[in-house]
C-alpha cells in the first residue's frame, strides 16, 4: 500500500477524493471541541476559568511535537531515498507545525499571566518550545531560500533531522530541570 501511495499521481488522485470529506469532519470536530472546551466546561476550583485555555494549549503543544516528528521522518525519507513526495510532505507539514507551536506559545502566555503574574518565564519547557518554533521557521526559510526549490530541500531536511533532538527536551524538560 505504501508503494502504491508513494506515486505522487496516485496520491493526489486519492487525496482529491478524501479531502472534502476530511474537511467536513475536521470542521465538525473543531467546532464541537471548541464549544465543549471553551464554553461548556466548568471552571476549575483553583484556576477558575483560566483552565479553559488548556483545552487549546495542550493539544496544540502535542500537535506541534507530532508535526515536527513527522517533519523529521519525512526528512529522513528524503535524505535516504530522495523521494520527492517526502519533500512535498515536509514542506507541507512545516507551516502547520509552526502555527501550532506559535499557538502553544501564545496560549501558554495567556494562561501564564493570571497563574504566574507574568506573560513569560524562562523555564525549560517554554524555552525549548520556543526553540522548536524557531526550528520550524528555519525549515520554512531554508527550504524556500534558493531560486530553485530543490536546492533548499536537502539543507532543510538536515536541519529538521538535527532539530528532532529538541523533541525529547521539550517533553521531559520539566522533569529534568524542575
Amino acid at each position: 500500500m505504501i508503494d502504491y501511495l508513494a506515486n505522487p499521481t496516485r496520491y493526489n488522485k486519492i487525496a482529491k477524493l478524501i479531502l472534502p470529506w476530511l474537511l467536513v469532519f475536521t470542521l465538525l470536530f473543531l467546532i464541537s471541541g471548541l464549544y465543549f472546551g471553551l464554553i461548556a466546561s466548568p471552571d476549575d476550583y483553583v484556576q477558575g476559568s483560566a483552565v479553559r485555555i488548556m483545552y487549546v494549549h495542550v493539544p496544540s503543544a502535542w500537535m506541534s511535537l507530532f508535526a515536527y516528528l513527522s517533519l523529521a521522518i519525512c526528512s529522513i525519507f528524503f535524505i535516504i531515498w530522495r523521494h520527492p513526495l517526502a519533500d512535498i510532505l515536509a514542506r507541507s507539514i512545516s507551516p502547520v507545525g509552526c502555527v501550532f507551536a506559535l499557538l502553544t506559545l501564545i496560549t501558554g502566555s495567556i494562561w501564564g499571566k493570571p497563574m504566574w503574574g507574568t506573560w513569560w518565564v524562562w523555564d525549560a519547557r517554554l524555552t525549548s518550545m520556543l526553540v522548536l518554533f524557531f526550528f520550524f521557521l528555519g525549515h520554512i526559510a531554508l527550504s524556500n531560500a534558493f531560486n530553485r526549490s530543490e536546492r533548499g530541500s536537502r539543507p532543510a531536511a538536515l536541519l529538521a533531522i538535527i532539530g528532532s533532538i529538541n523533541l525529547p527536551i521539550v517533553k521531559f524538560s520539566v522533569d529534568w530541570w524542575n
Side-chain angles (χ1 to χ4, degrees):
M1 185 65 169
I2 292 175
D3 291 339
Y4 181 79
L5 291 176
N7 183 329
T9 306
R10 288 187 216 134
Y11 177 82
N12 286 335
K13 183 180 177 183
I14 292 172
K16 284 181 183 178
L17 293 173
I18 296 174
L19 191 61
W21 292 99
L22 289 178
L23 182 63
V24 169
F25 284 120
T26 300
L27 289 175
L28 287 173
F29 286 127
L30 182 67
I31 291 168
S32 65
L34 287 173
Y35 170 75
F36 286 114
L38 299 177
I39 297 170
S41 69
D43 291 350
D44 185 54
Y45 71 96
V46 174
Q47 298 179 32
S49 62
V51 74
R52 291 186 179 135
I53 199 74
M54 286 296 141
Y55 294 118
V56 176
H57 174 73
V58 175
S60 297
W62 278 106
M63 193 63 193
S64 65
L65 290 172
F66 175 72
Y68 203 88
L69 178 65
S70 302
L71 175 66
I73 290 170
C74 287
S75 297
I76 290 169
F77 274 55
F78 179 74
I79 291 292
I80 294 173
W81 291 290
R82 301 239 186 243
H83 200 284
L85 189 58
D87 184 43
I88 292 169
L89 286 173
R91 288 174 183 261
S92 301
I93 290 169
S94 196
V96 174
C98 187
V99 168
F100 277 109
L102 180 64
L103 187 61
T104 301
L105 293 169
I106 291 170
T107 56
S109 293
I110 292 170
W111 177 84
K113 180 64 174 163
M115 296 301 115
W116 298 330
T118 183
W119 293 100
W120 185 268
V121 292
W122 288 98
D123 76 332
R125 181 156 294 167
L126 288 172
T127 307
S128 58
M129 182 54 83
L130 181 65
V131 169
L132 185 71
F133 174 70
F134 287 145
F135 271 116
F136 275 122
L137 286 179
H139 184 270
I140 294 168
L142 195 53
S143 63
N144 295 316
F146 298 94
N147 291 337
R148 290 188 6 223
S149 63
E150 306 86 38
R151 293 191 66 209
S153 298
R154 183 173 167 80
L158 291 172
L159 177 71
I161 293 167
I162 292 168
S164 65
I165 295 169
N166 192 37
L167 294 178
I169 295 172
V170 173
K171 172 69 174 103
F172 297 112
S173 58
V174 173
D175 298 329
W176 293 342
W177 297 289
N178 55 2

